[in-house]
Amino acid sequence: MTEFRRIGVLTSGGDAPGMNAAVRAVTRSALLGGVEVMGIYGGYQGLMEDDMKLFTSKDVAGIVSHGGTILYSARSEEFKTEAGMAKAIAVCRKNHIDGIVAIGGDGTFRGATDLSTRGIKTVGIPGTIDNDISSTDYTIGFDTAMNTVIQLIDKIRDTCESHARCDVVEVMGRNAGDIAIQTGLATGAVAIAVGEIPFDEKSAIERIRNARNNGKRNFIVVVAEGKKNFAEGFTERIEAQTGVESRFTRLGHVQRGGSPTLRDRVTASLMGEYAVDKLFQGMSDIVVCERNSNIVSMNIGFALNVDRLFKGKMTDEEKAKIAPEDLAKMEEICIERQTKKMQLYNTAKITCL
Ligand code: F6P
């Protein structure tokens, strides 16, 4: 057991429903273990600016069902600099913070690893609606965002049916198509276009034309924002080539808000408690992951490498520097992830019409 005086908790990057449940779990688990908790406001920017408050259990009361993050969030460029990092470390020392739980995406984890190498114990928790952190099967906020999306698409379909239209709906996800694939499957989209899987535009158009000729009135196409500069042009091409009147809808930030689903509240709570437990065991520079329905931890450097490998960003030179057994493990995780993604995409294709 490592002796902690105080730990800090922060949320960073894009907010995600369920972050509050994680903050609550971190706070209450630490307090129960006899360790004080600093709620750090505004992510790493707030850490550098010493914007924080000593939390009691009451500070996190009633937040498990609230969207957004009570700790607020930010993306900080200054924190990535040596000067910014020095400021953050000085603030930690001044406030007797020996450990930090950082909730966010891959940028948040890079910050956590930097703090860890400078003596502050850190644990990351994946929180982003995008589900784009390759080391974990699940990121907090993903389920809520997708439930918001399917509710909205179901409404859009109603009006498509009345007017005999097609609606091309663009959803978030940054460069990942996970939101698009699962919501497209769940709403019976006639086509799903994402950045990371080749899209057969010709057969999508043909499907719409044939279905219209057979009397179908409503069509939904789901496009991931990661398929850049595509959705609006595709909307025009559908109308021009099928004669089906078409509209484009970008759902936008409505996907980031709202009360978290049960899945997000439970996962966030499990991950929050687990993160504190790991800190108390003296572990650092790790990220909490969900793998095959279990909550596990992974070294942050390893997790970031899995991510780079999955996204095709790792050069052969970089690969050569990684121990072969580690590279094999990374590849295994990537293959599993890609297989799951393709399964969902193919099921959507098979069941859409
Ligand atoms: O990472 C979450 C996310 O909502 C992405 O899906 C989207 O690309 C991005 O953040 C939007 O960022 P911002 O809130 O800064 O506009």
Side-chain angles (χ1 to χ4, degrees):
M1 274 306 260
T2 301
E3 286 301 312
F4 280 94
R5 289 167 293 181
R6 241 175 227 176
I7 65 162
V9 56
L10 60 83
T11 50
S12 158
D15 63 350
M19 280 182 162
N20 282 329
V23 170
R24 170 177 172 272
V26 167
T27 303
R28 294 216 165 132
S29 312
L31 291 175
L32 198 69
V35 172
E36 290 182 332
V37 179
M38 274 291 194
I40 301 165
Y41 292 102
Y44 291 123
Q45 190 64 37
L47 174 63
M48 288 182 302
E49 291 167 3
D50 200 359
D51 187 3
M52 53 188 73
K53 178 184 177 223
L54 202 55
F55 268 12
T56 65
S57 184
K58 230 172 149 187
D59 286 298
V60 294
I63 64 169
V64 74
S65 57
H66 291 186
T69 159
I70 60 156
L71 289 175
Y72 313 134
S73 194
R75 295 185 175 107
S76 171
E77 284 307 311
E78 190 188 352
F79 182 70
K80 294 179 189 157
T81 66
E82 264 313 316
M85 189 58 59
K87 258 195 208 173
I89 296 292
V91 170
C92 287
R93 302 272 180 249
K94 182 188 135 210
N95 291 295
H96 310 295
I97 294 173
D98 311 308
I100 287 184
V101 178
I103 306 160
D106 49 3
T108 308
F109 300 155
R110 270 189 289 275
T113 222
D114 289 343
L115 286 173
S116 171
T117 52
R118 288 161 178 84
I120 305 296
K121 291 200 183 308
T122 54
V123 179
I125 293 181
T128 161
I129 64 162
D130 301 336
N131 204 38
D132 63 345
I133 301 173
S134 313
S135 54
T136 179
D137 296 341
Y138 190 77
T139 61
I140 295 165
F142 182 49
D143 188 60
T144 306
M146 289 195 299
N147 276 291
T148 300
V149 169
I150 65 170
Q151 282 173 25
L152 295 170
I153 292 181
D154 287 350
K155 290 181 205 285
I156 292 172
R157 192 186 283 282
D158 291 345
T159 164
C160 283
E161 174 69 14
S162 306
H163 290 268
R165 280 180 183 158
C166 172
D167 207 299
V168 177
V169 183
E170 187 188 273
V171 298
M172 280 187 167
R174 204 175 286 278
N175 294 311
D178 297 50
I179 295 179
I181 293 171
Q182 295 206 27
T183 59
L185 168 58
T187 56
V190 65
I192 302 169
V194 300
E196 62 271 44
I197 302 173
F199 181 64
D200 186 349
E201 174 164 335
K202 204 166 148 240
S203 74
I205 298 249
E206 232 168 71
R207 271 203 304 282
I208 296 174
R209 194 185 295 118
N210 290 341
R212 167 50 60 88
N213 290 342
N214 285 329
K216 186 170 168 63
R217 291 176 61 84
N218 67 73
F219 300 92
I220 296 291
V221 173
V222 178
V223 178
E225 65 172 337
K227 184 135 182 91
K228 305 263 187 299
N229 307 317
F230 176 77
E232 285 171 274
F234 187 47
T235 311
E236 285 166 19
R237 292 194 292 282
I238 291 171
E239 183 161 317
Q241 292 173 38
T242 66
V244 177
E245 194 184 350
S246 300
R247 294 284 187 270
F248 166 68
T249 305
R250 177 174 288 135
L251 294 183
H253 285 80
V254 67
Q255 295 162 91
R256 285 243 296 264
S259 176
T261 58
L262 176 134
R263 165 67 149 130
D264 280 320
R265 297 182 200 192
V266 171
T267 305
S269 303
L270 290 173
M271 287 186 168
E273 198 236 304
Y274 183 92
V276 170
D277 193 42
K278 290 288 149 188
L279 267 186
F280 285 4
Q281 284 172 25
M283 293 182 74
S284 180
D285 200 17
I286 55 167
V287 58
V288 181
C289 301
E290 183 186 293
R291 299 218 8 92
N292 302 317
S293 305
N294 295 314
I295 306 289
V296 296
S297 65
M298 206 181 272
N299 170 267
I300 296 184
F302 188 97
L304 291 174
N305 273 335
V306 171
D307 209 52
R308 287 176 61 72
L309 189 64
F310 186 75
K311 292 172 183 160
K313 291 181 182 166
M314 197 185 275
T315 62
D316 288 343
E317 257 185 6
E318 284 176 276
K319 280 185 200 167
K321 285 185 196 151
I322 298 172
E325 61 274 22
D326 282 348
L327 192 59
K329 265 189 230 152
M330 289 172 193
E331 275 163 354
E332 195 186 318
I333 295 172
C334 293
I335 290 167
E336 266 177 38
R337 191 176 177 85
Q338 186 61 15
T339 308
K340 276 182 201 155
K341 195 180 269 212
M342 287 314 297
Q343 262 168 8
L344 289 162
Y345 189 77
N346 288 332
T347 303
K349 242 165 113 177
I350 289 163
T351 57
C352 72
L353 270 180

PDB file of all heavy atoms in Angstrom, residues 13-16 75 105 127-132 171-176 179 225-226 252-253 255-256, ligand 1:
ATOM      1  N   GLY A  13     -10.420  17.068 -22.096  1.00  0.00           N
ATOM      2  CA  GLY A  13     -10.868  16.769 -23.459  1.00  0.00           C
ATOM      3  C   GLY A  13     -12.367  16.986 -23.571  1.00  0.00           C
ATOM      4  O   GLY A  13     -12.986  17.632 -22.717  1.00  0.00           O
ATOM      5  N   GLY A  14     -12.967  16.402 -24.608  1.00  0.00           N
ATOM      6  CA  GLY A  14     -14.416  16.557 -24.795  1.00  0.00           C
ATOM      7  C   GLY A  14     -15.171  15.898 -23.648  1.00  0.00           C
ATOM      8  O   GLY A  14     -14.819  14.801 -23.225  1.00  0.00           O
ATOM      9  N   ASP A  15     -16.205  16.557 -23.139  1.00  0.00           N
ATOM     10  CA  ASP A  15     -16.960  15.951 -22.027  1.00  0.00           C
ATOM     11  C   ASP A  15     -17.749  14.745 -22.539  1.00  0.00           C
ATOM     12  O   ASP A  15     -17.941  14.573 -23.749  1.00  0.00           O
ATOM     13  CB  ASP A  15     -17.878  16.978 -21.343  1.00  0.00           C
ATOM     14  CG  ASP A  15     -18.949  17.519 -22.279  1.00  0.00           C
ATOM     15  OD1 ASP A  15     -18.879  17.263 -23.495  1.00  0.00           O
ATOM     16  OD2 ASP A  15     -19.867  18.202 -21.789  1.00  0.00           O
ATOM     17  N   ALA A  16     -18.179  13.903 -21.612  1.00  0.00           N
ATOM     18  CA  ALA A  16     -18.940  12.707 -21.999  1.00  0.00           C
ATOM     19  C   ALA A  16     -19.875  12.339 -20.852  1.00  0.00           C
ATOM     20  O   ALA A  16     -19.467  12.402 -19.685  1.00  0.00           O
ATOM     21  CB  ALA A  16     -17.995  11.548 -22.298  1.00  0.00           C
ATOM     22  N   ARG A  75      -9.255  21.610 -23.302  1.00  0.00           N
ATOM     23  CA  ARG A  75      -8.100  21.031 -23.991  1.00  0.00           C
ATOM     24  C   ARG A  75      -6.993  22.075 -23.863  1.00  0.00           C
ATOM     25  O   ARG A  75      -7.166  23.203 -24.285  1.00  0.00           O
ATOM     26  CB  ARG A  75      -8.441  20.757 -25.462  1.00  0.00           C
ATOM     27  CG  ARG A  75      -9.536  19.695 -25.631  1.00  0.00           C
ATOM     28  CD  ARG A  75      -9.770  19.360 -27.101  1.00  0.00           C
ATOM     29  NE  ARG A  75     -10.717  18.270 -27.249  1.00  0.00           N
ATOM     30  CZ  ARG A  75     -11.977  18.410 -27.673  1.00  0.00           C
ATOM     31  NH1 ARG A  75     -12.436  19.599 -28.004  1.00  0.00           N
ATOM     32  NH2 ARG A  75     -12.770  17.371 -27.778  1.00  0.00           N
ATOM     33  N   GLY A 105      -9.747  11.280 -22.968  1.00  0.00           N
ATOM     34  CA  GLY A 105      -9.333  10.487 -24.129  1.00  0.00           C
ATOM     35  C   GLY A 105      -7.823  10.334 -24.213  1.00  0.00           C
ATOM     36  O   GLY A 105      -7.113  10.502 -23.207  1.00  0.00           O
ATOM     37  N   GLY A 127     -12.832   8.284 -21.061  1.00  0.00           N
ATOM     38  CA  GLY A 127     -14.109   8.986 -21.124  1.00  0.00           C
ATOM     39  C   GLY A 127     -14.201   9.783 -22.404  1.00  0.00           C
ATOM     40  O   GLY A 127     -13.518  10.798 -22.560  1.00  0.00           O
ATOM     41  N   THR A 128     -14.954   9.306 -23.346  1.00  0.00           N
ATOM     42  CA  THR A 128     -15.227  10.026 -24.593  1.00  0.00           C
ATOM     43  C   THR A 128     -16.384   9.321 -25.298  1.00  0.00           C
ATOM     44  O   THR A 128     -16.457   8.088 -25.273  1.00  0.00           O
ATOM     45  CB  THR A 128     -14.006  10.071 -25.553  1.00  0.00           C
ATOM     46  OG1 THR A 128     -14.471  10.390 -26.874  1.00  0.00           O
ATOM     47  CG2 THR A 128     -13.247   8.773 -25.635  1.00  0.00           C
ATOM     48  N   ILE A 129     -17.241  10.101 -25.928  1.00  0.00           N
ATOM     49  CA  ILE A 129     -18.370   9.464 -26.629  1.00  0.00           C
ATOM     50  C   ILE A 129     -17.905   8.672 -27.852  1.00  0.00           C
ATOM     51  O   ILE A 129     -18.637   7.852 -28.370  1.00  0.00           O
ATOM     52  CB  ILE A 129     -19.440  10.499 -27.080  1.00  0.00           C
ATOM     53  CG1 ILE A 129     -18.870  11.480 -28.112  1.00  0.00           C
ATOM     54  CG2 ILE A 129     -20.054  11.205 -25.884  1.00  0.00           C
ATOM     55  CD1 ILE A 129     -19.945  12.220 -28.905  1.00  0.00           C
ATOM     56  N   ASP A 130     -16.661   8.904 -28.303  1.00  0.00           N
ATOM     57  CA  ASP A 130     -16.219   8.369 -29.592  1.00  0.00           C
ATOM     58  C   ASP A 130     -15.891   6.865 -29.582  1.00  0.00           C
ATOM     59  O   ASP A 130     -15.825   6.253 -30.631  1.00  0.00           O
ATOM     60  CB  ASP A 130     -14.968   9.122 -30.080  1.00  0.00           C
ATOM     61  CG  ASP A 130     -15.215  10.610 -30.233  1.00  0.00           C
ATOM     62  OD1 ASP A 130     -16.381  10.993 -30.423  1.00  0.00           O
ATOM     63  OD2 ASP A 130     -14.244  11.384 -30.149  1.00  0.00           O
ATOM     64  N   ASN A 131     -15.639   6.309 -28.421  1.00  0.00           N
ATOM     65  CA  ASN A 131     -15.150   4.914 -28.293  1.00  0.00           C
ATOM     66  C   ASN A 131     -13.943   4.674 -29.201  1.00  0.00           C
ATOM     67  O   ASN A 131     -13.796   3.619 -29.814  1.00  0.00           O
ATOM     68  CB  ASN A 131     -16.254   3.906 -28.628  1.00  0.00           C
ATOM     69  CG  ASN A 131     -15.995   2.554 -27.964  1.00  0.00           C
ATOM     70  OD1 ASN A 131     -15.515   2.495 -26.829  1.00  0.00           O
ATOM     71  ND2 ASN A 131     -16.282   1.482 -28.653  1.00  0.00           N
ATOM     72  N   ASP A 132     -13.058   5.652 -29.243  1.00  0.00           N
ATOM     73  CA  ASP A 132     -11.933   5.574 -30.190  1.00  0.00           C
ATOM     74  C   ASP A 132     -10.601   5.317 -29.497  1.00  0.00           C
ATOM     75  O   ASP A 132      -9.545   5.627 -30.045  1.00  0.00           O
ATOM     76  CB  ASP A 132     -11.861   6.872 -31.013  1.00  0.00           C
ATOM     77  CG  ASP A 132     -11.584   8.094 -30.143  1.00  0.00           C
ATOM     78  OD1 ASP A 132     -11.724   8.001 -28.908  1.00  0.00           O
ATOM     79  OD2 ASP A 132     -11.221   9.140 -30.704  1.00  0.00           O
ATOM     80  N   VAL A 171     -23.035  11.791 -37.829  1.00  0.00           N
ATOM     81  CA  VAL A 171     -22.854  11.653 -36.384  1.00  0.00           C
ATOM     82  C   VAL A 171     -21.390  11.903 -36.015  1.00  0.00           C
ATOM     83  O   VAL A 171     -20.507  11.864 -36.868  1.00  0.00           O
ATOM     84  CB  VAL A 171     -23.296  10.248 -35.892  1.00  0.00           C
ATOM     85  CG1 VAL A 171     -24.772  10.025 -36.164  1.00  0.00           C
ATOM     86  CG2 VAL A 171     -22.458   9.138 -36.526  1.00  0.00           C
ATOM     87  N   MET A 172     -21.152  12.133 -34.719  1.00  0.00           N
ATOM     88  CA  MET A 172     -19.783  12.403 -34.250  1.00  0.00           C
ATOM     89  C   MET A 172     -18.957  11.125 -34.179  1.00  0.00           C
ATOM     90  O   MET A 172     -19.413  10.058 -34.576  1.00  0.00           O
ATOM     91  CB  MET A 172     -19.838  13.076 -32.885  1.00  0.00           C
ATOM     92  CG  MET A 172     -20.128  14.560 -32.942  1.00  0.00           C
ATOM     93  SD  MET A 172     -19.955  15.281 -31.288  1.00  0.00           S
ATOM     94  CE  MET A 172     -19.936  17.015 -31.705  1.00  0.00           C
ATOM     95  N   GLY A 173     -17.755  11.251 -33.632  1.00  0.00           N
ATOM     96  CA  GLY A 173     -16.868  10.098 -33.475  1.00  0.00           C
ATOM     97  C   GLY A 173     -15.425  10.440 -33.812  1.00  0.00           C
ATOM     98  O   GLY A 173     -14.570   9.563 -33.839  1.00  0.00           O
ATOM     99  N   ARG A 174     -15.192  11.702 -34.136  1.00  0.00           N
ATOM    100  CA  ARG A 174     -13.871  12.162 -34.595  1.00  0.00           C
ATOM    101  C   ARG A 174     -13.442  11.316 -35.795  1.00  0.00           C
ATOM    102  O   ARG A 174     -14.146  11.311 -36.783  1.00  0.00           O
ATOM    103  CB  ARG A 174     -12.855  12.107 -33.458  1.00  0.00           C
ATOM    104  CG  ARG A 174     -11.690  13.062 -33.645  1.00  0.00           C
ATOM    105  CD  ARG A 174     -10.795  13.071 -32.454  1.00  0.00           C
ATOM    106  NE  ARG A 174     -11.375  13.772 -31.316  1.00  0.00           N
ATOM    107  CZ  ARG A 174     -11.347  15.100 -31.146  1.00  0.00           C
ATOM    108  NH1 ARG A 174     -10.752  15.859 -32.017  1.00  0.00           N
ATOM    109  NH2 ARG A 174     -11.904  15.666 -30.095  1.00  0.00           N
ATOM    110  N   ASN A 175     -12.350  10.548 -35.701  1.00  0.00           N
ATOM    111  CA  ASN A 175     -11.962   9.732 -36.867  1.00  0.00           C
ATOM    112  C   ASN A 175     -12.491   8.297 -36.806  1.00  0.00           C
ATOM    113  O   ASN A 175     -12.209   7.495 -37.687  1.00  0.00           O
ATOM    114  CB  ASN A 175     -10.432   9.695 -36.989  1.00  0.00           C
ATOM    115  CG  ASN A 175      -9.888  11.060 -37.306  1.00  0.00           C
ATOM    116  OD1 ASN A 175     -10.369  11.734 -38.212  1.00  0.00           O
ATOM    117  ND2 ASN A 175      -8.916  11.510 -36.532  1.00  0.00           N
ATOM    118  N   ALA A 176     -13.258   8.002 -35.766  1.00  0.00           N
ATOM    119  CA  ALA A 176     -13.734   6.624 -35.595  1.00  0.00           C
ATOM    120  C   ALA A 176     -15.190   6.499 -36.018  1.00  0.00           C
ATOM    121  O   ALA A 176     -16.008   7.372 -35.748  1.00  0.00           O
ATOM    122  CB  ALA A 176     -13.579   6.205 -34.132  1.00  0.00           C
ATOM    123  N   ILE A 179     -19.646   5.061 -33.540  1.00  0.00           N
ATOM    124  CA  ILE A 179     -21.008   5.570 -33.286  1.00  0.00           C
ATOM    125  C   ILE A 179     -21.868   5.328 -34.529  1.00  0.00           C
ATOM    126  O   ILE A 179     -22.997   4.851 -34.443  1.00  0.00           O
ATOM    127  CB  ILE A 179     -20.996   7.077 -32.921  1.00  0.00           C
ATOM    128  CG1 ILE A 179     -20.268   7.319 -31.591  1.00  0.00           C
ATOM    129  CG2 ILE A 179     -22.418   7.636 -32.865  1.00  0.00           C
ATOM    130  CD1 ILE A 179     -20.181   8.784 -31.168  1.00  0.00           C
ATOM    131  N   GLU A 225     -18.585  11.478 -38.972  1.00  0.00           N
ATOM    132  CA  GLU A 225     -17.886  12.733 -39.305  1.00  0.00           C
ATOM    133  C   GLU A 225     -16.466  12.449 -39.792  1.00  0.00           C
ATOM    134  O   GLU A 225     -15.859  13.276 -40.467  1.00  0.00           O
ATOM    135  CB  GLU A 225     -17.865  13.687 -38.110  1.00  0.00           C
ATOM    136  CG  GLU A 225     -17.060  13.192 -36.924  1.00  0.00           C
ATOM    137  CD  GLU A 225     -16.885  14.239 -35.827  1.00  0.00           C
ATOM    138  OE1 GLU A 225     -16.985  15.443 -36.101  1.00  0.00           O
ATOM    139  OE2 GLU A 225     -16.632  13.814 -34.679  1.00  0.00           O
ATOM    140  N   GLY A 226     -15.953  11.242 -39.445  1.00  0.00           N
ATOM    141  CA  GLY A 226     -14.607  10.852 -39.888  1.00  0.00           C
ATOM    142  C   GLY A 226     -14.523  10.619 -41.379  1.00  0.00           C
ATOM    143  O   GLY A 226     -13.431  10.567 -41.944  1.00  0.00           O
ATOM    144  N   GLY A 252     -24.478  16.965 -34.390  1.00  0.00           N
ATOM    145  CA  GLY A 252     -23.674  17.895 -33.596  1.00  0.00           C
ATOM    146  C   GLY A 252     -23.628  17.596 -32.102  1.00  0.00           C
ATOM    147  O   GLY A 252     -23.781  16.446 -31.667  1.00  0.00           O
ATOM    148  N   HIS A 253     -23.466  18.647 -31.309  1.00  0.00           N
ATOM    149  CA  HIS A 253     -23.141  18.478 -29.890  1.00  0.00           C
ATOM    150  C   HIS A 253     -24.280  17.961 -29.023  1.00  0.00           C
ATOM    151  O   HIS A 253     -24.059  17.661 -27.849  1.00  0.00           O
ATOM    152  CB  HIS A 253     -22.596  19.798 -29.321  1.00  0.00           C
ATOM    153  CG  HIS A 253     -21.191  20.060 -29.763  1.00  0.00           C
ATOM    154  ND1 HIS A 253     -20.912  20.579 -31.009  1.00  0.00           N
ATOM    155  CD2 HIS A 253     -20.000  19.833 -29.166  1.00  0.00           C
ATOM    156  CE1 HIS A 253     -19.593  20.680 -31.145  1.00  0.00           C
ATOM    157  NE2 HIS A 253     -19.028  20.228 -30.047  1.00  0.00           N
ATOM    158  N   GLN A 255     -25.228  15.230 -29.165  1.00  0.00           N
ATOM    159  CA  GLN A 255     -24.764  13.860 -28.869  1.00  0.00           C
ATOM    160  C   GLN A 255     -23.896  13.796 -27.615  1.00  0.00           C
ATOM    161  O   GLN A 255     -23.640  12.728 -27.086  1.00  0.00           O
ATOM    162  CB  GLN A 255     -23.930  13.331 -30.053  1.00  0.00           C
ATOM    163  CG  GLN A 255     -24.720  13.156 -31.324  1.00  0.00           C
ATOM    164  CD  GLN A 255     -23.822  13.052 -32.557  1.00  0.00           C
ATOM    165  OE1 GLN A 255     -23.423  11.976 -32.962  1.00  0.00           O
ATOM    166  NE2 GLN A 255     -23.514  14.182 -33.179  1.00  0.00           N
ATOM    167  N   ARG A 256     -23.390  14.926 -27.175  1.00  0.00           N
ATOM    168  CA  ARG A 256     -22.467  14.899 -26.028  1.00  0.00           C
ATOM    169  C   ARG A 256     -23.160  15.106 -24.680  1.00  0.00           C
ATOM    170  O   ARG A 256     -22.538  14.910 -23.628  1.00  0.00           O
ATOM    171  CB  ARG A 256     -21.396  15.979 -26.221  1.00  0.00           C
ATOM    172  CG  ARG A 256     -20.346  15.636 -27.246  1.00  0.00           C
ATOM    173  CD  ARG A 256     -18.957  15.523 -26.631  1.00  0.00           C
ATOM    174  NE  ARG A 256     -18.496  16.765 -26.094  1.00  0.00           N
ATOM    175  CZ  ARG A 256     -17.712  17.630 -26.747  1.00  0.00           C
ATOM    176  NH1 ARG A 256     -17.325  17.373 -27.965  1.00  0.00           N
ATOM    177  NH2 ARG A 256     -17.304  18.720 -26.170  1.00  0.00           N
TER     178      ARG A 256
HETATM  179  O1  F6P B   1     -14.196  13.691 -28.872  1.00  0.00           O
HETATM  180  C1  F6P B   1     -15.527  14.025 -28.722  1.00  0.00           C
HETATM  181  C2  F6P B   1     -16.002  14.903 -29.850  1.00  0.00           C
HETATM  182  O2  F6P B   1     -17.358  15.228 -29.621  1.00  0.00           O
HETATM  183  C3  F6P B   1     -15.825  14.329 -31.251  1.00  0.00           C
HETATM  184  O3  F6P B   1     -16.809  13.394 -31.584  1.00  0.00           O
HETATM  185  C4  F6P B   1     -15.850  15.570 -32.085  1.00  0.00           C
HETATM  186  O4  F6P B   1     -15.124  15.396 -33.269  1.00  0.00           O
HETATM  187  C5  F6P B   1     -15.170  16.575 -31.196  1.00  0.00           C
HETATM  188  O5  F6P B   1     -15.249  16.088 -29.875  1.00  0.00           O
HETATM  189  C6  F6P B   1     -15.800  17.952 -31.232  1.00  0.00           C
HETATM  190  O6  F6P B   1     -15.008  18.778 -30.480  1.00  0.00           O
HETATM  191  P1  F6P B   1     -15.464  20.210 -29.948  1.00  0.00           P
HETATM  192  O7  F6P B   1     -16.389  19.989 -28.795  1.00  0.00           O
HETATM  193  O8  F6P B   1     -14.195  20.847 -29.531  1.00  0.00           O
HETATM  194  O9  F6P B   1     -16.169  20.898 -31.073  1.00  0.00           O
END
